[in-house]
Amino acid sequence: DIVMTQSPDSLAVSLGERATINCKSSQSVLYSSNNKNYLAWYQQKPGQPPKLLIYWASTRESGVPDRFSGSGSGTDFTLTISSLQPEDFATYYCQQSYSTPRTFGQGTKVEIK
Amino acid sequence: QVQLVQSGAEVKKPGASVKVSCKASGYTFTSYDINWVRQATGQGLEWMGWMNPNSGNTGYAQKFQGRVTMTRNTSISTAYMELSSLRSEDTAVYYCARASVNLGYWGQGTLVTVSS
């Protein structure tokens, strides 16, 4: 199984500041035939299902604000929120869809500083 | 619009089984896999398995092999996840999600509580 490890586990950020979350996979999730990384980012707020933010490591889902960006390739990935808004305080998960089981990272909770 | 509507909360005794449904609308049910993901209270997301509604083919995470069964009824665009031999550690919210390269649409979640 591919193990997904996020860092940090939690992050305290002030409104308007940048937040950076890292995700590392135990093996590459880059599919060589199409040069795409099978890595997605989700946001989850209490009492709600997760919401897709980013797929293929860097493609924003329709309707997701452009302050959210994803980067990285192979085994190392980053989700950046450029200027935190009140609605961004939530838990964020990475997930690989390169192979089954489609494993998630343990989550990173973004809290108000 | 795409919607996945799950069945209501369940309370089960240890050793029992639970069957959660996930009714899809707003798209062709047989065109996308359905994945099931669970989340214990205060914990992270745990992927359980997938089902192809067209073929009925399934794949389960090793942890759930032998205890989970994913099925579908295409006539009513509904997917099912049945988990047997329940134990207290299975208490969680269970989600279905429409799968392509990502999980773009999720059900609202079904709380399953296992308690004697």
Side-chain angles (χ1 to χ4, degrees):
Chain A
D1 297 1
I2 298 177
V3 177
M4 308 299 290
T5 304
Q6 291 180 227
S7 62
D9 290 335
S10 65
L11 186 58
V13 184
S14 300
L15 283 172
E17 288 194 345
R18 173 186 294 250
T20 301
I21 300 168
N22 300 300
C23 174
K24 187 174 183 68
S25 57
S26 61
Q27 62 189 78
S28 177
V29 297
L30 174 63
Y31 197 44
S32 55
S33 66
N34 60 7
N35 202 38
K36 290 193 183 296
N37 288 281
Y38 282 65
L39 187 285
W41 289 96
Y42 299 87
Q43 176 194 66
Q44 188 180 33
K45 298 178 181 178
Q48 297 183 17
K51 173 188 173 184
L52 176 67
L53 296 177
I54 303 277
Y55 60 96
W56 284 329
S58 60
T59 300
R60 256 190 315 276
E61 174 71 337
S62 175
V64 173
D66 61 6
R67 62 181 181 273
F68 290 92
S69 63
S71 63
S73 184
T75 61
D76 291 279
F77 302 91
T78 300
L79 175 69
T80 301
I81 313 170
S82 60
S83 175
L84 264 141
Q85 300 303 300
E87 60 269 29
D88 300 337
F89 293 96
T91 301
Y92 294 84
Y93 295 91
C94 61
Q95 186 204 22
Q96 63 82 18
S97 56
Y98 181 87
S99 65
T100 56
R102 290 190 174 193
T103 41
F104 289 91
Q106 79 277 17
T108 296
K109 187 173 184 178
V110 176
E111 300 173 300
I112 299 174
K113 189 174 184 179
Chain B
Q1 74 284 20
V2 175
Q3 277 195 301
L4 297 171
V5 178
Q6 298 183 223
S7 47
E10 303 261 13
V11 179
K12 296 291 183 182
K13 293 195 182 304
S17 297
V18 69
K19 191 170 185 177
V20 179
S21 68
C22 171
K23 182 171 177 59
S25 62
Y27 72 98
T28 301
F29 178 62
T30 51
S31 295
Y32 295 85
D33 286 0
I34 294 287
N35 284 197
W36 290 88
V37 174
R38 77 176 186 180
Q39 185 172 40
T41 302
Q43 302 301 307
L45 302 169
E46 183 174 31
W47 188 85
M48 299 179 68
W50 62 272
M51 181 199 62
N52 181 303
N54 186 45
S55 63
N57 288 344
T58 57
Y60 306 135
Q62 181 78 19
K63 176 176 180 175
F64 300 102
Q65 288 274 4
R67 281 211 304 144
V68 71
T69 305
M70 296 177 188
T71 57
R72 88 289 191 212
N73 182 333
T74 56
S75 67
I76 55 171
S77 300
T78 300
Y80 302 93
M81 187 283 299
E82 184 169 20
L83 189 62
S84 62
S85 302
L86 289 168
R87 35 213 188 224
S88 58
E89 311 89 87
D90 294 318
T91 295
V93 175
Y94 290 76
Y95 294 102
C96 62
R98 193 185 85 166
S100 53
V101 71
N102 51 63
L103 302 179
Y105 296 92
W106 295 66
Q108 82 276 18
T110 297
L111 175 62
V112 175
T113 304
V114 183
S115 173
S116 54

